[in-house]
Amino acid sequence: MISANLHKLPSILLVSIIVILNSCKTKSSDLIYVSEERLETVKDFIADRDTFYLRAYHQLIEEADKELSIVINPVVNKTQVPPSGSKHDYMSIAPYRWPNPGTTDGLPWTLKDGEINPMYYGGDFDHTRLFQMFDSIDNLWMAYYFTGDQQYADKARQIIKVWFIDDLTKVNPNVNYGQGIPGEVDGRRAGIIEWKRISNVITAVQVLAKDDNLSEQEMEKMNDWFSQYYHWLKRNPMGIENDNGLQNHSTCYDYQMLGLARYLGLNDEAKERLEAAKCKRIAIQFKPDGTQPREIGRTRSVHYVSENLLYMSLVAELGMPLGVDLWNYSTEDGRSIKKAFEFLRSFAEGKKEWLHTEINGVENVIEQEMKPLFALATSVFHEELISKNTDLRKHMGYRQILLYPFPNLNE
């Protein structure tokens, strides 16, 4: 029997077998982080020449076409060497920390909350190349999904191979050196949030694998990478610290852990995490009036309340296939995701003035982040969360438009 001999198999093959066996419990075509039903709805809108969705589609294809000629930029290209001695380890610096102008060596670095040090984006470190990879992967799998054009799948596969498979260039499955502070700490738990868009890679792998665009060996290596990364997140002290945290970093940690667990077929672990979110996230991060005390006091208050609620909503969506309803959950004293939307509604509608600090401009961030948040939640949960007179779609990005079409709430 297979089960009697599993322990004799190489670990990389064992992981693949476990993923395959567990995936049989759900439809093999199910995507974890995105809704195929919504994607098919958008396909219909495009076929019907709906100008709003057609415009977003053309922008997607334009961006995906650019990706075809971009040279892939893996982590080994950084100029700095992590403390491990391996450029395969991801490395970034704390974005809000700056060299001390009062000392010759710049130490100790000082905190300027909300003000990003330009070094954060430089080639010495990996943050920019990581986000470029996430963007590229997103553009390419979506373009392939909507067009079936093989060139997009081929380039996505090349990126996956360079970043996660090829021994000379792949990134190691850890964030040991994320958001380090020179002279103080090599890495912090905050660095894990920079990997929240690993969801893009998981989706790309699922879409490519569906049409056999990744070989069996490549899938084995990707499954092994995802498994190693999941267990690093679960067992590393920085991951554990995020798990026990109190604000947006913990929400984004759940977002990663839930998607990885579902991909690996660890549905029981995913359900446990979702159930725990009721007391570890909702009951702690929200007040009964819907405010988020640990986000609203930041210098980028609109950004942080919007982003945290965004990922809380995405976590709630991840729970839906597993039968855990976080969207409708409320504590005994009324703390809930919905109440957080209710609190923000009057500001998104322009009926109340936001009186908290937002160094990037209150109106600008409400338009760019808070309103698209309402649009996304309306699409996912099919509820009227804001006045119909509020223009939610004006500042949505082209990928948001294609992933989160507006539902007909009258149906």
Side-chain angles (χ1 to χ4, degrees), residues 33 134-135 137-138 141 197-205:
Y33 279 110
F134 287 149
D135 281 338
I137 284 286
D138 228 14
W141 82 253
R197 290 175 64 196
I198 191 66
S199 56
N200 299 10
V201 181
I202 289 176
T203 302
V205 168

Side-chain angles (χ1 to χ4, degrees), residues 23-262:
S23 69
C24 294
K25 299 176 183 177
T26 58
K27 295 179 181 179
S28 60
S29 62
D30 286 348
L31 301 180
I32 292 169
Y33 279 110
V34 300
S35 164
E36 287 191 80
E37 181 180 354
R38 292 198 300 267
L39 289 173
E40 292 302 313
T41 296
V42 170
K43 275 189 176 181
D44 291 339
F45 280 130
I46 294 170
D48 292 340
R49 312 298 294 176
D50 182 291
T51 55
F52 179 72
Y53 294 100
L54 199 59
R55 189 182 307 116
Y57 167 77
H58 286 315
Q59 188 173 355
L60 168 68
I61 299 306
E62 180 180 341
E63 294 300 320
D65 285 343
K66 293 178 184 177
E67 302 289 355
L68 298 176
S69 59
I70 292 177
V71 177
I72 302 170
N73 185 16
V75 291
V76 293
N77 283 357
K78 59 177 166 286
T79 58
Q80 294 288 321
V81 179
S84 64
S86 173
K87 285 191 175 182
H88 293 277
D89 286 325
Y90 176 81
M91 185 181 186
S92 66
I93 59 170
Y96 302 149
R97 294 298 185 107
W98 295 68
N100 192 328
T103 62
T104 55
D105 61 2
L107 301 177
W109 279 34
T110 60
L111 173 65
K112 298 181 183 180
D113 188 37
E115 299 182 38
I116 299 177
N117 184 339
M119 291 176 63
Y120 183 60
Y121 296 117
D124 288 349
F125 304 100
D126 289 322
H127 172 270
T128 294
R129 60 177 51 85
L130 177 72
F131 275 58
Q132 288 172 342
M133 182 271 288
F134 287 149
D135 281 338
S136 296
I137 284 286
D138 228 14
N139 285 328
L140 291 164
W141 82 253
M142 289 181 69
Y144 176 64
Y145 188 97
F146 283 113
T147 68
D149 191 329
Q150 190 63 36
Q151 64 178 338
Y152 302 125
D154 290 342
K155 186 56 183 279
R157 176 174 175 261
Q158 290 172 20
I159 295 173
I160 288 170
K161 287 183 64 179
V162 168
W163 267 83
F164 299 96
I165 295 175
D166 291 348
D167 289 336
L168 291 178
T169 55
K170 68 181 181 181
V171 61
N172 289 333
N174 69 70
V175 196
N176 288 323
Y177 308 110
Q179 293 206 12
I181 304 173
E184 184 176 332
V185 64
D186 292 334
R188 304 182 303 149
R189 75 179 181 95
I192 292 173
I193 202 172
E194 296 175 358
W195 278 82
K196 62 193 176 189
R197 290 175 64 196
I198 191 66
S199 56
N200 299 10
V201 181
I202 289 176
T203 302
V205 168
Q206 288 189 295
V207 170
L208 295 181
K210 185 178 178 181
D211 294 335
D212 296 322
N213 282 297
L214 291 169
S215 70
E216 183 177 342
Q217 184 180 31
E218 288 166 348
M219 283 301 299
E220 288 175 1
K221 290 186 176 182
M222 282 308 305
N223 293 342
D224 187 58
W225 194 98
F226 287 137
S227 179
Q228 289 187 52
Y229 181 55
Y230 175 79
H231 288 98
W232 180 89
L233 287 171
K234 183 178 179 180
R235 297 167 181 165
N236 185 273
M238 289 188 288
I240 294 171
E241 191 178 353
N242 266 333
D243 196 11
N244 296 321
L246 305 174
Q247 35 67 280
N248 66 87
H249 287 273
S250 298
T251 307
C252 291
Y253 175 81
D254 280 351
Y255 179 67
Q256 291 191 55
M257 291 294 285
L258 288 166
L260 285 162
R262 284 185 52 192

Side-chain angles (χ1 to χ4, degrees), residues 349-363:
E349 291 177 340
K351 294 179 179 179
K352 290 180 67 175
E353 181 182 0
W354 187 267
L355 300 177
H356 306 277
T357 302
E358 176 49 70
I359 62 176
N360 290 323
V362 170
E363 292 185 8

